[in-house]
Amino acid sequence: MFNKLTSSEGGRGLLLISPPFFYALLLMAFPLGAIILFSFWTQDFMDVDTTFTLNNYRQIIEQPIYGALLQRSLFVSAVVTMVTVLLAFPIAYFVSFHVRPDRKSLWLFLITIPFWTSYLIRVFLWKVILGYNGVINTGLLNIGLIDEPLTFILYNINAVIITLAHAFAPFAILPIFVALEKIDRSLLEASRDLGENKVMTFFRVTLPLAMPGVVAAVLIVFIPTIGDYVTPELMGGAGGKLIANMIQTQFLALNNAPLGAALAVVAMLSVTAISLVFILLNRRWLRGRS
């Protein structure tokens, strides 16, 4: 059996990827299975009752705070994704179409510079920028545009959205750039030769061909932002907490890991359902244009 696998190119490739595949599967499947299993148990302080029950999910449905936090988390993730992708596309387009080939690597290098610093440090820097006596308020006061510091840019949902959009911007720029680089430039020239202007060429040729990168950017940004609890904790204030903060509270502060696990399962199912719907709608849109 081993000789048959190694005799073909496909078999050798399968042997090469099998160890890391099963290693990654173990690292993902075991924690996920533990979370799902925990969600059907109950806990009284330090005592865990392994009797199967749906009380955790019933509690999530009956208590409106959990639904409100989940809705707020989905809303924040959607807004962050929209803002990030809308800002990332022009940057990726500029680097792909208007930067000389020998300088594209430099631009990509500059885009990835934020990764050089800790995520936590970047969040604290935004606190300095958006704070009551921060850079923005001090600058606006000095030039006379405002009479008192702005209070709506920190410790609320706005601050969470701004910080997350900045943190995940490189994750959106890179896949869009890769998709734009794969576009055959002769297709754009053919569109212009057939009488289309630059705007219609963009919407009829460039954007549809770049959609795989856009879809990847949307998923890369949307999925992790709903599970981010550091930014809401530091930037959101009392009214900016998300479902991830409640999960963290259940696990670490209230010693109710089963309820926290159930909240995590509900959040994962919600994100999965929305992501699948988005992918299906995108495929239908692309088929409608073809």
Side-chain angles (χ1 to χ4, degrees), residues 60-80:
I60 293 173
I61 296 174
E62 292 176 351
Q63 296 191 10
I65 183 174
Y66 301 124
L69 285 174
L70 182 59
Q71 291 177 7
R72 183 190 297 170
S73 301
L74 293 173
F75 170 77
V76 170
S77 296
V79 174
V80 169

PDB file of all heavy atoms in Angstrom, residues 60-80:
ATOM      1  N   ILE A  60     -30.065  31.329  26.814  1.00  0.00           N
ATOM      2  CA  ILE A  60     -29.673  32.307  25.791  1.00  0.00           C
ATOM      3  C   ILE A  60     -30.891  32.857  25.067  1.00  0.00           C
ATOM      4  O   ILE A  60     -30.977  34.053  24.760  1.00  0.00           O
ATOM      5  CB  ILE A  60     -28.686  31.648  24.794  1.00  0.00           C
ATOM      6  CG1 ILE A  60     -27.368  31.327  25.494  1.00  0.00           C
ATOM      7  CG2 ILE A  60     -28.440  32.564  23.589  1.00  0.00           C
ATOM      8  CD1 ILE A  60     -26.400  30.527  24.642  1.00  0.00           C
ATOM      9  N   ILE A  61     -31.863  31.984  24.790  1.00  0.00           N
ATOM     10  CA  ILE A  61     -33.073  32.413  24.084  1.00  0.00           C
ATOM     11  C   ILE A  61     -33.961  33.270  24.974  1.00  0.00           C
ATOM     12  O   ILE A  61     -34.526  34.279  24.533  1.00  0.00           O
ATOM     13  CB  ILE A  61     -33.848  31.173  23.579  1.00  0.00           C
ATOM     14  CG1 ILE A  61     -33.017  30.414  22.544  1.00  0.00           C
ATOM     15  CG2 ILE A  61     -35.198  31.582  22.983  1.00  0.00           C
ATOM     16  CD1 ILE A  61     -33.633  29.112  22.103  1.00  0.00           C
ATOM     17  N   GLU A  62     -34.060  32.906  26.251  1.00  0.00           N
ATOM     18  CA  GLU A  62     -35.011  33.583  27.145  1.00  0.00           C
ATOM     19  C   GLU A  62     -34.504  34.924  27.651  1.00  0.00           C
ATOM     20  O   GLU A  62     -35.300  35.829  27.892  1.00  0.00           O
ATOM     21  CB  GLU A  62     -35.331  32.665  28.333  1.00  0.00           C
ATOM     22  CG  GLU A  62     -36.122  31.416  27.941  1.00  0.00           C
ATOM     23  CD  GLU A  62     -36.345  30.487  29.113  1.00  0.00           C
ATOM     24  OE1 GLU A  62     -35.738  30.745  30.187  1.00  0.00           O
ATOM     25  OE2 GLU A  62     -37.100  29.515  28.967  1.00  0.00           O
ATOM     26  N   GLN A  63     -33.190  35.071  27.823  1.00  0.00           N
ATOM     27  CA  GLN A  63     -32.660  36.321  28.357  1.00  0.00           C
ATOM     28  C   GLN A  63     -32.252  37.240  27.203  1.00  0.00           C
ATOM     29  O   GLN A  63     -31.346  36.898  26.427  1.00  0.00           O
ATOM     30  CB  GLN A  63     -31.472  36.056  29.272  1.00  0.00           C
ATOM     31  CG  GLN A  63     -31.845  35.255  30.507  1.00  0.00           C
ATOM     32  CD  GLN A  63     -30.740  35.212  31.536  1.00  0.00           C
ATOM     33  OE1 GLN A  63     -29.745  35.922  31.428  1.00  0.00           O
ATOM     34  NE2 GLN A  63     -30.907  34.362  32.545  1.00  0.00           N
ATOM     35  N   PRO A  64     -32.880  38.407  27.080  1.00  0.00           N
ATOM     36  CA  PRO A  64     -32.657  39.276  25.914  1.00  0.00           C
ATOM     37  C   PRO A  64     -31.249  39.848  25.817  1.00  0.00           C
ATOM     38  O   PRO A  64     -30.844  40.278  24.734  1.00  0.00           O
ATOM     39  CB  PRO A  64     -33.687  40.384  26.100  1.00  0.00           C
ATOM     40  CG  PRO A  64     -34.015  40.378  27.561  1.00  0.00           C
ATOM     41  CD  PRO A  64     -33.877  38.958  28.010  1.00  0.00           C
ATOM     42  N   ILE A  65     -30.499  39.871  26.912  1.00  0.00           N
ATOM     43  CA  ILE A  65     -29.173  40.487  26.858  1.00  0.00           C
ATOM     44  C   ILE A  65     -28.252  39.746  25.893  1.00  0.00           C
ATOM     45  O   ILE A  65     -27.453  40.366  25.180  1.00  0.00           O
ATOM     46  CB  ILE A  65     -28.535  40.538  28.270  1.00  0.00           C
ATOM     47  CG1 ILE A  65     -27.182  41.250  28.209  1.00  0.00           C
ATOM     48  CG2 ILE A  65     -28.391  39.144  28.857  1.00  0.00           C
ATOM     49  CD1 ILE A  65     -26.548  41.465  29.571  1.00  0.00           C
ATOM     50  N   TYR A  66     -28.394  38.429  25.826  1.00  0.00           N
ATOM     51  CA  TYR A  66     -27.514  37.658  24.945  1.00  0.00           C
ATOM     52  C   TYR A  66     -27.853  37.912  23.476  1.00  0.00           C
ATOM     53  O   TYR A  66     -26.954  38.062  22.638  1.00  0.00           O
ATOM     54  CB  TYR A  66     -27.638  36.171  25.271  1.00  0.00           C
ATOM     55  CG  TYR A  66     -27.277  35.845  26.694  1.00  0.00           C
ATOM     56  CD1 TYR A  66     -28.179  35.174  27.531  1.00  0.00           C
ATOM     57  CD2 TYR A  66     -26.037  36.200  27.227  1.00  0.00           C
ATOM     58  CE1 TYR A  66     -27.854  34.876  28.850  1.00  0.00           C
ATOM     59  CE2 TYR A  66     -25.706  35.914  28.547  1.00  0.00           C
ATOM     60  CZ  TYR A  66     -26.630  35.249  29.347  1.00  0.00           C
ATOM     61  OH  TYR A  66     -26.299  34.966  30.650  1.00  0.00           O
ATOM     62  N   GLY A  67     -29.133  37.976  23.170  1.00  0.00           N
ATOM     63  CA  GLY A  67     -29.528  38.294  21.804  1.00  0.00           C
ATOM     64  C   GLY A  67     -29.101  39.694  21.397  1.00  0.00           C
ATOM     65  O   GLY A  67     -28.665  39.920  20.261  1.00  0.00           O
ATOM     66  N   ALA A  68     -29.210  40.641  22.345  1.00  0.00           N
ATOM     67  CA  ALA A  68     -28.809  42.019  22.046  1.00  0.00           C
ATOM     68  C   ALA A  68     -27.308  42.112  21.790  1.00  0.00           C
ATOM     69  O   ALA A  68     -26.857  42.805  20.875  1.00  0.00           O
ATOM     70  CB  ALA A  68     -29.206  42.931  23.204  1.00  0.00           C
ATOM     71  N   LEU A  69     -26.514  41.396  22.596  1.00  0.00           N
ATOM     72  CA  LEU A  69     -25.068  41.415  22.399  1.00  0.00           C
ATOM     73  C   LEU A  69     -24.684  40.762  21.075  1.00  0.00           C
ATOM     74  O   LEU A  69     -23.777  41.241  20.383  1.00  0.00           O
ATOM     75  CB  LEU A  69     -24.378  40.688  23.555  1.00  0.00           C
ATOM     76  CG  LEU A  69     -24.310  41.441  24.879  1.00  0.00           C
ATOM     77  CD1 LEU A  69     -23.741  40.543  25.968  1.00  0.00           C
ATOM     78  CD2 LEU A  69     -23.468  42.702  24.748  1.00  0.00           C
ATOM     79  N   LEU A  70     -25.373  39.674  20.713  1.00  0.00           N
ATOM     80  CA  LEU A  70     -25.076  39.013  19.443  1.00  0.00           C
ATOM     81  C   LEU A  70     -25.433  39.915  18.263  1.00  0.00           C
ATOM     82  O   LEU A  70     -24.663  40.020  17.294  1.00  0.00           O
ATOM     83  CB  LEU A  70     -25.832  37.691  19.350  1.00  0.00           C
ATOM     84  CG  LEU A  70     -25.580  36.859  18.090  1.00  0.00           C
ATOM     85  CD1 LEU A  70     -24.103  36.515  17.955  1.00  0.00           C
ATOM     86  CD2 LEU A  70     -26.425  35.591  18.108  1.00  0.00           C
ATOM     87  N   GLN A  71     -26.587  40.576  18.341  1.00  0.00           N
ATOM     88  CA  GLN A  71     -26.973  41.495  17.268  1.00  0.00           C
ATOM     89  C   GLN A  71     -25.988  42.649  17.148  1.00  0.00           C
ATOM     90  O   GLN A  71     -25.616  43.051  16.041  1.00  0.00           O
ATOM     91  CB  GLN A  71     -28.388  42.027  17.527  1.00  0.00           C
ATOM     92  CG  GLN A  71     -29.475  40.986  17.383  1.00  0.00           C
ATOM     93  CD  GLN A  71     -30.847  41.544  17.721  1.00  0.00           C
ATOM     94  OE1 GLN A  71     -31.017  42.745  17.943  1.00  0.00           O
ATOM     95  NE2 GLN A  71     -31.840  40.670  17.791  1.00  0.00           N
ATOM     96  N   ARG A  72     -25.559  43.194  18.283  1.00  0.00           N
ATOM     97  CA  ARG A  72     -24.583  44.282  18.255  1.00  0.00           C
ATOM     98  C   ARG A  72     -23.266  43.802  17.669  1.00  0.00           C
ATOM     99  O   ARG A  72     -22.630  44.516  16.882  1.00  0.00           O
ATOM    100  CB  ARG A  72     -24.357  44.822  19.667  1.00  0.00           C
ATOM    101  CG  ARG A  72     -23.402  46.009  19.722  1.00  0.00           C
ATOM    102  CD  ARG A  72     -23.021  46.343  21.152  1.00  0.00           C
ATOM    103  NE  ARG A  72     -24.174  46.757  21.936  1.00  0.00           N
ATOM    104  CZ  ARG A  72     -24.147  46.909  23.256  1.00  0.00           C
ATOM    105  NH1 ARG A  72     -23.030  46.638  23.917  1.00  0.00           N
ATOM    106  NH2 ARG A  72     -25.228  47.299  23.900  1.00  0.00           N
ATOM    107  N   SER A  73     -22.846  42.590  18.006  1.00  0.00           N
ATOM    108  CA  SER A  73     -21.592  42.048  17.486  1.00  0.00           C
ATOM    109  C   SER A  73     -21.668  41.862  15.975  1.00  0.00           C
ATOM    110  O   SER A  73     -20.721  42.205  15.252  1.00  0.00           O
ATOM    111  CB  SER A  73     -21.286  40.702  18.158  1.00  0.00           C
ATOM    112  OG  SER A  73     -21.187  40.855  19.559  1.00  0.00           O
ATOM    113  N   LEU A  74     -22.788  41.324  15.483  1.00  0.00           N
ATOM    114  CA  LEU A  74     -22.949  41.149  14.043  1.00  0.00           C
ATOM    115  C   LEU A  74     -22.983  42.490  13.328  1.00  0.00           C
ATOM    116  O   LEU A  74     -22.411  42.634  12.237  1.00  0.00           O
ATOM    117  CB  LEU A  74     -24.234  40.360  13.751  1.00  0.00           C
ATOM    118  CG  LEU A  74     -24.241  38.899  14.217  1.00  0.00           C
ATOM    119  CD1 LEU A  74     -25.629  38.294  14.021  1.00  0.00           C
ATOM    120  CD2 LEU A  74     -23.189  38.092  13.485  1.00  0.00           C
ATOM    121  N   PHE A  75     -23.632  43.472  13.946  1.00  0.00           N
ATOM    122  CA  PHE A  75     -23.683  44.808  13.349  1.00  0.00           C
ATOM    123  C   PHE A  75     -22.292  45.430  13.277  1.00  0.00           C
ATOM    124  O   PHE A  75     -21.894  45.964  12.222  1.00  0.00           O
ATOM    125  CB  PHE A  75     -24.618  45.706  14.159  1.00  0.00           C
ATOM    126  CG  PHE A  75     -24.563  47.156  13.777  1.00  0.00           C
ATOM    127  CD1 PHE A  75     -25.190  47.608  12.629  1.00  0.00           C
ATOM    128  CD2 PHE A  75     -23.876  48.072  14.561  1.00  0.00           C
ATOM    129  CE1 PHE A  75     -25.133  48.946  12.266  1.00  0.00           C
ATOM    130  CE2 PHE A  75     -23.808  49.407  14.210  1.00  0.00           C
ATOM    131  CZ  PHE A  75     -24.452  49.843  13.054  1.00  0.00           C
ATOM    132  N   VAL A  76     -21.544  45.367  14.366  1.00  0.00           N
ATOM    133  CA  VAL A  76     -20.191  45.935  14.381  1.00  0.00           C
ATOM    134  C   VAL A  76     -19.302  45.221  13.373  1.00  0.00           C
ATOM    135  O   VAL A  76     -18.553  45.864  12.623  1.00  0.00           O
ATOM    136  CB  VAL A  76     -19.601  45.848  15.800  1.00  0.00           C
ATOM    137  CG1 VAL A  76     -18.115  46.193  15.783  1.00  0.00           C
ATOM    138  CG2 VAL A  76     -20.344  46.775  16.744  1.00  0.00           C
ATOM    139  N   SER A  77     -19.377  43.895  13.312  1.00  0.00           N
ATOM    140  CA  SER A  77     -18.558  43.148  12.364  1.00  0.00           C
ATOM    141  C   SER A  77     -18.914  43.510  10.927  1.00  0.00           C
ATOM    142  O   SER A  77     -18.026  43.648  10.077  1.00  0.00           O
ATOM    143  CB  SER A  77     -18.744  41.643  12.587  1.00  0.00           C
ATOM    144  OG  SER A  77     -18.276  41.266  13.858  1.00  0.00           O
ATOM    145  N   ALA A  78     -20.213  43.669  10.658  1.00  0.00           N
ATOM    146  CA  ALA A  78     -20.638  44.030   9.300  1.00  0.00           C
ATOM    147  C   ALA A  78     -20.137  45.417   8.921  1.00  0.00           C
ATOM    148  O   ALA A  78     -19.651  45.633   7.806  1.00  0.00           O
ATOM    149  CB  ALA A  78     -22.158  43.962   9.193  1.00  0.00           C
ATOM    150  N   VAL A  79     -20.257  46.373   9.836  1.00  0.00           N
ATOM    151  CA  VAL A  79     -19.799  47.738   9.550  1.00  0.00           C
ATOM    152  C   VAL A  79     -18.282  47.772   9.385  1.00  0.00           C
ATOM    153  O   VAL A  79     -17.763  48.417   8.462  1.00  0.00           O
ATOM    154  CB  VAL A  79     -20.245  48.701  10.669  1.00  0.00           C
ATOM    155  CG1 VAL A  79     -19.643  50.086  10.457  1.00  0.00           C
ATOM    156  CG2 VAL A  79     -21.766  48.806  10.708  1.00  0.00           C
ATOM    157  N   VAL A  80     -17.564  47.091  10.269  1.00  0.00           N
ATOM    158  CA  VAL A  80     -16.102  47.044  10.158  1.00  0.00           C
ATOM    159  C   VAL A  80     -15.693  46.420   8.826  1.00  0.00           C
ATOM    160  O   VAL A  80     -14.789  46.918   8.146  1.00  0.00           O
ATOM    161  CB  VAL A  80     -15.500  46.254  11.337  1.00  0.00           C
ATOM    162  CG1 VAL A  80     -14.021  45.956  11.096  1.00  0.00           C
ATOM    163  CG2 VAL A  80     -15.682  47.017  12.625  1.00  0.00           C
TER     164      VAL A  80
END
